[in-house]
């Protein structure tokens, strides 16, 4: 509404192809019009407020925001419910995408299958893309909807909200969505640790706190309730341990990638066995580096030698560094054997892409055209994304280099041959061009993708880079349902959505893997 766009018009309303019920449409239009009037004059009027007027204005705006948050929760639940009805085949015809209810009787409009084949795995992803919100916000709205909004039973009857007192406060716009989310999560945490009476008392106390305090204080109060109910904590069961085990990729810290591993006893034993291959405390010699060596030089004992002509060295790596070198060395050895399961149609291998000018020249200084202008780096790896060219130069010392010529728009040039199955040399070219699933907004890396013929082989389409595109398994199925269309522009795939996703059917491409390309 910040640009004056009404619901049902232009980009600001991604669901503009759908008609609202008359009551809902009138109410939203009236509210939008009123807020637009306030928005247009708010900045000018606010500049003349005194302290009391400014505080009152801020309070009123916050009340409106809480109302809007509640409407967002209701809308999220409506999207999830209607998509679920389409999936189960229980939706009335007009709910599957008719513009008007009357169209259902005339046989026009989108089909239920078309709505479900829109490229989104679930309601959260649909909300993220259509409303331009984060996936975290989308999931939070859906989770809160299941807590504070009425549900539907298996036979279609309406069920009361799971947390009725919290639901009443949220419906009256007395608590913020953040506070309601914190309270709902805290109640779920202790659901199995105490009786229903204590749960009710906790809900009442935290809801009352949220009526008077900010979400930060509500979070502290919730933690105190949890500590009171579960003072010593409960010993996790074997099933619970299995649920939380795993390897987690965290945000980088201090220029280093951050991984966190929670392993069972058996997994821990296997990992430590591999890691300890690099923790031999004895002196190492100046011999060819093994896969378990870090490659870093260490200080020597001066004046020492042997008949073999080598100089002993003292390994000054910390134990933590040795363990990491051992784990990485074990992985390198496994990759070198070529016996790991195939991934994305190829044997697993570390793959990086870079413009040849960045590989053989610096990012500063003259390039092949004689220009001294600083260029953006084209260096990228499969899982990290953009990386510094110096890292790729290090990898290239021990790697096979596959020359793939990319045009100015990312088109693969000069690779041919025809076969029904994409051969390795074309698959590698597609990897270099697409660098992951090419479907818009998808972040799946190349090893998890499948090669797809844009024009089907059965319809005369060749097996080539221009007619090939990488798609993850989910989006590969979506494309084969033929709602989305793919066209190759200058050798680069562009995707046209179906009308119920974007009425204007504007073609789009993936900018996650190759942000420097437009």
């Amino acid at each position: 509404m910040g640009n004056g766009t009404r619901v049902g018009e232009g980009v600001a309303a991604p669901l503009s192809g759908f008609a609202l019920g008359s009551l809902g449409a009138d109410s939203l239009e009236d509210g939008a019009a009123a807020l637009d009037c306030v928005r247009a004059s708010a900045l000018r009027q606010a500049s003349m407020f005194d302290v009391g007027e400014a505080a009152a204005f801020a309070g009123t705006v916050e009340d409106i925001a809480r109302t809007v948050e509640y409407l967002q929760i209701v809308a999220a639940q409506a999207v999830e419910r209607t998509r679920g009805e389409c999936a189960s085949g229980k939706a009335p015809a007009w709910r599957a995408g008719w513009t008007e209810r009357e169209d259902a009787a005339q046989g026009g409009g989108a089909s239920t299958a078309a709505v479900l084949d829109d490229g989104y795995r679930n309601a959260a992803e649909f909300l993220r893309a259509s409303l331009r919100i984060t996936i975290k916000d989308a999931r939070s709205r859906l989770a809160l909807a299941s807590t504070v909004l009425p549900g539907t039973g298996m036979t279609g009857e309406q069920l009361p909200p799971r947390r009725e007192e919290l639901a009443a406060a949220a419906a009256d716009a007395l608590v913020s969505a953040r506070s309601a989310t914190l309270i709902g999560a805290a109640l779920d945490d202790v659901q199995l640790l105490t009786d229903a009476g204590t749960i009710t008392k906790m809900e009442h106390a935290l809801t009352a706190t949220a009526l008077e305090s900010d979400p930060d204080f509500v979070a502290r109060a919730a933690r105190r309730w949890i500590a009171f109910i579960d003072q010593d904590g409960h010993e996790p069961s074997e099933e619970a341990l299995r649920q939380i085990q795993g390897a987690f990729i965290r945000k980088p810290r201090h220029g280093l990638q951050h991984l966190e591993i929670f392993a069972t006893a058996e997994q821990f034993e296997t990992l430590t066995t591999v890691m300890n291959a690099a923790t031999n405390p004895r002196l190492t010699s100046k011999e060819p580096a093994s896969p378990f060596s870090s490659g870093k030089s260490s200080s020597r004992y001066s004046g020492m030698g042997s008949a073999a002509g080598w100089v002993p060295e003292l390994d000054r790596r910390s134990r933590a560094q040795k363990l990491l070198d051992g784990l990485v060395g074990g992985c390198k050895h496994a990759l070198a054997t070529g016996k790991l399961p195939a991934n994305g149609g190829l044997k697993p291998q570390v793959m990086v892409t870079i413009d040849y000018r960045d590989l053989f020249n610096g990012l500063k200084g003259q390039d092949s055209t004689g220009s001294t202008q600083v260029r953006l780096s084209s260096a990228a790896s499969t899982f990290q994304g953009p990386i510094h060219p110096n890292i790729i130069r290090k990898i290239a010392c021990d790697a096979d280099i596959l020359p793939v010529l990319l045009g100015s728009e990312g088109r693969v040039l000069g690779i041919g041959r025809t076969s029904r199955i994409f051969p390795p040399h074309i698959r590698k070219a597609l990897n270099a061009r697409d660098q992951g699933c090419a479907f818009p907004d998808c972040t799946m890396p190349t090893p998890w993708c499948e090669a797809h013929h844009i024009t089907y082989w059965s319809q005369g389409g060749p097996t080539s880079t221009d007619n090939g595109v990488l798609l993850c398994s989910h989006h590969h199925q979506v494309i084969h349902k033929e709602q989305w269309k793919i066209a190759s522009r200058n050798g680069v795939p562009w995707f046209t959505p179906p009308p119920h996703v974007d009425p204007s059917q504007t073609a789009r491409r993936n900018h996650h893997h190759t942000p420097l390309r437009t």
Side-chain angles (χ1 to χ4, degrees), residues 344 419-422 426-427 430-431 433-434 436-439 449-459 461-473 475-482 484-488 493-495:
S419 64
R420 189 178 189 282
I421 304 301
F422 284 89
I426 293 184
R427 172 61 195 237
L430 293 176
N431 289 355
R433 182 194 69 191
D434 295 341
C437 177
F439 195 91
C449 294
E450 303 158 359
H452 167 75
H453 289 82
I454 296 176
T455 300
Y456 295 164
W457 173 270
S458 60
Q459 298 175 1
T463 300
S464 64
T465 54
D466 280 359
N467 193 48
V469 60
L470 291 187
L471 296 170
C472 66
S473 179
H475 287 124
H476 201 170
Q477 295 177 26
V478 168
I479 292 301
H480 273 281
K481 292 174 182 176
E482 300 186 352
W484 286 74
K485 304 298 181 184
I486 310 178
S488 180
W494 287 75
F495 296 73

Side-chain angles (χ1 to χ4, degrees), residues 109-153:
S111 66
T112 298
V115 174
L116 295 180
D117 296 341
D118 55 13
Y120 304 110
R121 293 179 176 85
N122 49 51
E125 290 198 1
F126 177 81
L127 291 171
R128 173 192 56 78
S130 61
L131 304 183
R132 290 169 291 155
I133 61 177
T134 66
I135 191 66
K136 181 179 179 180
D137 286 341
R139 289 169 177 162
S140 178
R141 292 179 190 180
L142 292 171
L144 188 54
S146 67
T147 300
V148 301
L149 297 183
T152 303

Side-chain angles (χ1 to χ4, degrees), residues 160-503:
R162 291 177 55 227
R163 311 296 181 191
E164 296 190 44
E165 187 169 354
L166 179 61
D172 291 337
L174 298 177
V175 299
S176 67
R178 177 59 181 160
S179 292
T181 298
L182 291 169
I183 295 172
L187 293 171
D188 289 341
D189 286 345
V190 299
Q191 182 68 44
L192 302 178
L193 303 178
T194 188
D195 57 273
T198 303
I199 294 291
T200 301
K201 291 180 181 178
M202 179 177 174
E203 179 185 356
H204 174 75
L206 290 178
T207 302
T209 300
L211 296 178
E212 301 175 352
S213 304
D214 60 90
D216 291 338
F217 189 82
V218 171
R220 288 196 293 270
R223 288 195 294 269
R224 291 193 64 182
W225 268 94
I226 294 174
F228 171 75
I229 293 173
D230 188 23
Q231 297 180 13
D232 299 323
H234 61 288
E235 184 178 355
S237 63
E238 201 170 310
E239 177 64 26
L241 291 176
R242 281 196 295 269
Q243 292 296 325
I244 62 175
Q245 70 173 353
F248 302 91
I249 300 176
R250 306 302 189 190
K251 291 183 179 180
R253 293 182 180 179
H254 312 298
L256 296 173
Q257 300 299 321
H258 179 204
L259 290 86
E260 194 170 24
I261 298 176
F262 293 93
T264 63
E266 298 86 350
Q267 294 168 335
F268 176 78
E269 196 65 25
T270 301
L271 289 171
T272 50
T273 299
V274 174
M275 289 189 290
N276 277 307
T279 59
N280 190 326
R282 294 181 298 173
L283 295 177
T284 58
S285 62
K286 194 72 174 179
E287 295 174 342
S290 73
F292 302 96
S293 171
S294 65
K296 299 177 183 177
S297 61
S298 51
S299 60
R300 301 177 185 174
Y301 286 116
S302 59
M304 292 186 64
S306 72
W310 55 266
V311 179
E313 292 182 341
L314 179 63
D315 192 341
R316 295 190 178 276
R317 292 175 297 164
S318 68
R319 176 169 174 80
Q321 291 169 336
K322 291 179 182 178
L323 291 174
L324 177 60
D325 287 339
L327 182 58
V328 173
C331 293
K332 286 182 178 179
H333 183 70
L335 287 171
T337 63
K339 295 182 179 180
L340 293 176
N343 207 344
L346 298 170
K347 291 181 179 179
Q349 51 194 287
V350 176
M351 180 174 177
V352 293
T353 58
I354 185 173
D355 187 287
Y356 75 97
R357 291 170 295 180
D358 293 337
L359 179 61
F360 296 110
N361 304 319
L363 292 182
K364 265 189 173 180
Q366 287 197 345
D367 59 17
S368 59
T369 64
S371 171
T372 58
Q373 184 178 5
V374 177
R375 296 192 308 108
L376 294 176
S377 171
S378 63
S381 62
T382 300
F383 294 102
Q384 293 183 65
I387 59 176
H388 198 279
N390 288 343
I391 299 176
I392 293 188
R393 293 188 190 108
K394 276 194 229 171
I395 296 175
C397 293
D398 298 317
D400 294 327
I401 298 179
L402 171 70
V404 178
L405 182 60
L406 299 180
S408 61
E409 298 186 25
R411 179 180 183 179
V412 177
L413 306 175
I415 292 186
R417 302 184 189 175
T418 301
S419 64
R420 189 178 189 282
I421 304 301
F422 284 89
H425 73 285
I426 293 184
R427 172 61 195 237
K428 291 177 181 178
L430 293 176
N431 289 355
R433 182 194 69 191
D434 295 341
Q435 299 186 27
C437 177
F439 195 91
D441 297 333
C442 187
T443 60
M444 291 295 182
T446 53
W448 303 344
C449 294
E450 303 158 359
H452 167 75
H453 289 82
I454 296 176
T455 300
Y456 295 164
W457 173 270
S458 60
Q459 298 175 1
T463 300
S464 64
T465 54
D466 280 359
N467 193 48
V469 60
L470 291 187
L471 296 170
C472 66
S473 179
H474 170 72
H475 287 124
H476 201 170
Q477 295 177 26
V478 168
I479 292 301
H480 273 281
K481 292 174 182 176
E482 300 186 352
Q483 298 296 326
W484 286 74
K485 304 298 181 184
I486 310 178
S488 180
R489 299 183 183 177
N490 298 318
V492 178
W494 287 75
F495 296 73
T496 301
H500 67 275
V501 173
D502 179 5

Side-chain angles (χ1 to χ4, degrees), residues 3-41:
N3 57 5
T5 306
R6 296 290 189 273
V7 174
E9 297 177 0
V11 178
L15 305 181
S16 57
F18 298 91
L20 296 170
S22 58
L23 178 59
D26 291 344
S27 299
L28 285 176
E29 288 292 343
D30 292 344
L35 287 176
D36 271 348
C37 292
V38 174
R39 174 189 54 78
S41 60

